Amino acid sequence: DAGVIQSPRHEVTEMGQEVTLRCKPISGHDYLFWYRQTMMRGLELLIYFNNNVPIDDSGMPEDRFSAKMPNASFSTLKIQPSEPRDSAVYFCASSFGWSEETQYFGPGTRLLVL
Amino acid sequence: AQSVSQHNHHVILSEAASLELGCNYSYGGTVNLFWYVQYPGQHLQLLLKYFSGDPLVKGIKGFEAEFIKSKFSFNLRKPSVQWSDTAEYFCAVNAQNSGYSTLTFGKGTMLLVSP
């Protein structure tokens, strides 16, 4: 398997623009997680899905953030409108089951909002 | 809610020095514990994990961690570090059968190994 795939790897945009980040989990994994990593706050869980259904979105910072998982092999994280403080690395991870199971991380999308 | 505390934000060592990175968690029930590593410019990778059995867990690249339940700790150790161990290390905890099904990460410890 190719592992968790994220696109784009880098995104530079201007404040106010819409940003869409994409993730393809490992085939067969039933959990998908979106994380944000910043110097100030470390690694934060934003939202996670189980079998394509959002389970906990309490980590989503604001209504400007939304995430979808239309099928088992694809998820998006959207920021609209984007702000400079959204600049961070966004990681997607997937796992088969939870609790004891290892989460496999994608390479991340480095987002810079000017 | 569970939380994870990593004692040091930055650690600087010379090659061949011994390493111990502290990790404490707060949760009263049974936990699964993980150490992830993030090499410069790369994504997080699993280093080792504990969920039952022998509290001394051996991982990849010579790393090990010891789960001490009475101290709520899961410290990472390596007897002799190499320059290639330069990376950021994250401790994480997942509570078993608690209704929580997410990994809570510590803030990370940046390890710099000088040659």
Side-chain angles (χ1 to χ4, degrees):
Chain A
D1 199 307
V4 176
I5 299 173
Q6 289 186 249
S7 64
R9 294 292 306 275
H10 301 272
E11 177 80 31
V12 180
T13 190
E14 292 186 341
M15 183 173 64
Q17 296 298 307
E18 177 179 296
V19 174
T20 300
L21 311 181
R22 298 174 178 79
C23 174
K24 176 178 166 53
I26 292 173
S27 177
H29 282 187
D30 56 349
Y31 279 82
L32 183 140
F33 306 82
W34 281 101
Y35 291 90
R36 178 173 66 175
Q37 185 180 38
T38 62
M39 289 287 290
M40 292 298 295
R41 301 172 70 93
L43 201 60
E44 305 171 276
L45 176 67
L46 300 177
I47 183 172
Y48 75 94
F49 296 82
N50 176 220
N51 291 324
N52 314 337
V53 176
I55 302 301
D56 184 356
D57 66 353
S58 59
M60 296 284 260
E62 299 171 32
D63 291 345
R64 298 184 295 106
F65 286 69
S66 62
K68 294 181 180 179
M69 192 166 185
N71 56 62
S73 59
F74 184 65
S75 176
T76 59
L77 178 67
K78 188 173 292 187
I79 309 172
Q80 167 63 19
S82 59
E83 296 182 3
R85 60 195 168 118
D86 301 330
S87 298
V89 182
Y90 291 82
F91 288 101
C92 176
S94 70
S95 65
F96 179 66
W98 57 275
S99 187
E100 298 178 1
E101 300 307 319
T102 302
Q103 290 186 19
Y104 294 85
F105 284 76
T109 295
R110 189 172 295 274
L111 173 66
L112 177 61
V113 182
L114 301 173
Chain B
Q2 62 218 46
S3 65
V4 180
S5 173
Q6 291 185 239
H7 307 159
N8 306 99
H9 293 295
H10 296 90
V11 172
I12 301 174
L13 295 172
S14 299
E15 273 194 314
S18 65
L19 169 72
E20 181 160 3
L21 301 183
C23 173
N24 286 90
Y25 66 92
S26 65
Y27 180 69
T30 305
V31 293
N32 298 313
L33 299 157
F34 303 78
W35 276 98
Y36 281 82
V37 60
Q38 186 176 24
Y39 296 102
Q42 297 189 26
H43 57 94
L44 277 83
Q45 306 169 46
L46 182 71
L47 205 52
L48 49 80
K49 65 179 179 181
Y50 169 85
F51 47 88
S52 66
D54 189 342
L56 184 61
V57 180
K58 294 191 184 300
I60 60 172
K61 303 186 180 184
F63 286 91
E64 65 179 30
E66 185 175 13
F67 171 49
I68 303 179
K69 189 174 181 179
S70 61
K71 294 184 177 180
F72 298 90
S73 70
F74 190 55
N75 292 355
L76 181 70
R77 298 194 294 251
K78 186 171 183 177
S80 175
V81 295
Q82 301 172 313
W83 175 79
S84 57
D85 294 326
T86 293
E88 190 158 17
Y89 293 80
F90 294 89
C91 181
V93 62
N94 194 331
Q96 285 188 19
N97 302 317
S98 67
Y100 293 100
S101 56
T102 62
L103 224 45
T104 300
F105 284 86
K107 288 278 174 69
T109 297
M110 184 68 216
L111 171 66
L112 177 62
V113 180
S114 58

